[in-house]
Amino acid sequence: MTDRVQKQYEAMRGHFQRAAGQHGFTLDPAQELPVERLSRLAGELAHPAWRLRRSPRHLYLWGPVGRGKSWLVNTFLDGLATPRKRRLHFHDFFRRLHEGVALGTENRPADGAAVDRAVDELLGDCRILVFDEFHAHDAGDAMLVARLLRTLLERRITLVTTSNYPPAGLMPDPLYHHLFEPTIRLIEERMDVLDVSGPVDFRQRPRADGGHGFALGARLHPGDETSAGLTPPRPAEAGPVAAHHRELPARAVRDDHVWFGFEELCEGLTAVADYLALADRFPTVVLDGVIPLTEASPDGRRRFANLVDVCCDRDVRLVLIGADPLVGLSPDSTLMRDLDRTASRLALLRDPAREAAR
């Protein structure tokens, strides 16, 4: 290890220790290996790109919700001196990629070149890319995800991804999983896969600032809206609200929150891009008429899970009114395993009825 590489490695190790101390915790044993690997990567990136025969090895961090994956990669990026770094969330990046591909193929079918052009527009001269919360659930997007990963891995860009799933757990639908297996093999061959599955859920720890937007949300029974500072919508408040290239039927649009019914937002023809547009505009999203997910359509369950993901990732307060969405789900069922991340995130929301029963 050269002096320059050693210096950057030690600087990044110290940066992680200081950042943990500032947040009031010490590094969990499960985080030590990723910290070591990310610190070594910082040292490798200390060399100018033109001096390296090949880019440093790519990195895939996976583990359950709340194990500090996003904190690890955000802290890593903060400690890197290079301006040629980017952090993009999967939902955001994929929405913009879709838009870029569509723009480049208005009069011709999409192909690999269209994906390459869209990536060029999004990343520019980026050298290190953090791709947060990577997943693959939608069979319709599977081939685009596969092409995207190949494009990124073939460039002189070092890719660091976080995911709640091991590579083999991507695209869990057994009907389509085999179509994604070549991409899984590519990840396992080209990326160092590290498990961050420690026992500590950092999201359950109290924060010095009293919590964040998503954690201030709630799961309520109908009639309990006032306990969350909400007033039920009046019929006159119903109307359209602008989302992503469309308008959605809202029960109320107010300065600090938007209110939807489950049927309209989750069983209607909505997409992640719509939820991202709402999260950009409103600090609170209210969803009433929530039903058990066992009674929802498969698309409704997926849209609900995506809505929870977007609100959590964008730190938007989410208030759910209606039935417990997870009621009736067997802990060992395939459906419950598919909704494991959603269940972990819903557990962060305040539940006054459960609190009163204790």
Side-chain angles (χ1 to χ4, degrees), residues 95 237-254 257-260 265 269-282 284-285:
R95 174 189 64 175
E237 290 184 280
V241 59
H244 180 67
H245 300 325
R246 75 177 91 190
E247 292 186 330
L248 300 177
R251 295 193 60 199
V253 183
R254 298 167 178 168
H257 68 272
V258 63
W259 194 307
F260 288 98
L265 198 60
L269 296 178
T270 57
V272 168
D274 297 314
Y275 309 149
L276 287 165
L278 296 174
D280 286 342
R281 179 176 171 187
F282 298 99
T284 296
V285 173

Side-chain angles (χ1 to χ4, degrees), residues 32-174:
E32 284 290 350
L33 182 57
V35 166
E36 172 66 19
R37 180 64 182 82
L38 289 166
S39 299
R40 283 197 288 112
L41 178 56
E44 294 164 358
L45 292 170
H47 287 299
W50 60 268
R51 292 187 59 184
L52 297 174
R53 284 196 199 168
R54 64 185 67 180
S55 298
R57 287 274 298 178
H58 309 284
L59 186 58
Y60 185 105
L61 301 179
W62 74 274
V65 172
R67 269 53 184 183
K69 300 182 299 295
S70 293
W71 179 84
L72 285 166
V73 295
N74 289 340
T75 302
F76 167 69
L77 276 190
D78 288 343
L80 284 179
T82 178
R84 295 171 58 188
K85 57 185 179 181
R86 296 287 299 277
R87 177 196 180 276
L88 294 166
H89 189 275
F90 175 81
H91 283 314
D92 232 353
F93 184 85
F94 208 58
R95 174 189 64 175
R96 294 163 65 185
L97 180 69
H98 261 299
E99 292 172 347
V101 170
L103 185 64
T105 58
E106 288 179 346
N107 299 311
R108 57 186 185 278
D111 57 14
V115 175
D116 292 346
R117 288 191 296 270
V119 170
D120 285 337
E121 290 291 327
L122 289 170
L123 300 184
D125 68 345
C126 172
R127 186 182 177 196
I128 174 75
L129 170 64
V130 167
F131 203 32
D132 203 14
E133 294 284 355
F134 175 73
H135 65 271
H137 283 96
D138 191 323
D141 287 335
M143 294 304 102
L144 184 55
V145 172
R147 176 66 201 188
L148 166 65
L149 273 179
R150 288 187 179 277
T151 297
L152 292 175
L153 293 177
E154 288 166 1
R155 298 176 177 223
R156 291 182 67 84
I157 298 173
T158 300
L159 177 64
V160 177
T161 68
T162 72
S163 179
N164 293 328
Y165 306 90
L170 298 169
M171 190 58 66
D173 190 328

Side-chain angles (χ1 to χ4, degrees), residues 176-237:
Y176 303 102
H177 181 79
H178 68 284
L179 298 176
F180 207 70
E181 286 178 345
T183 305
I184 291 171
R185 288 195 295 271
L186 180 69
I187 291 171
E188 293 174 339
E189 292 167 1
R190 300 282 298 277
M191 306 185 77
D192 291 340
V193 179
L194 297 183
D195 183 353
V196 192
S197 298
V200 179
D201 185 343
F202 290 93
R203 290 192 162 199
Q204 302 290 1
R205 290 184 170 183
R207 288 167 45 135
D209 59 7
H212 53 80
F214 184 78
L216 297 176
R219 296 160 62 180
L220 307 175
H221 291 306
D224 292 341
E225 294 86 352
T226 55
S227 68
L230 298 170
T231 302
R234 301 182 303 275
E237 290 184 280

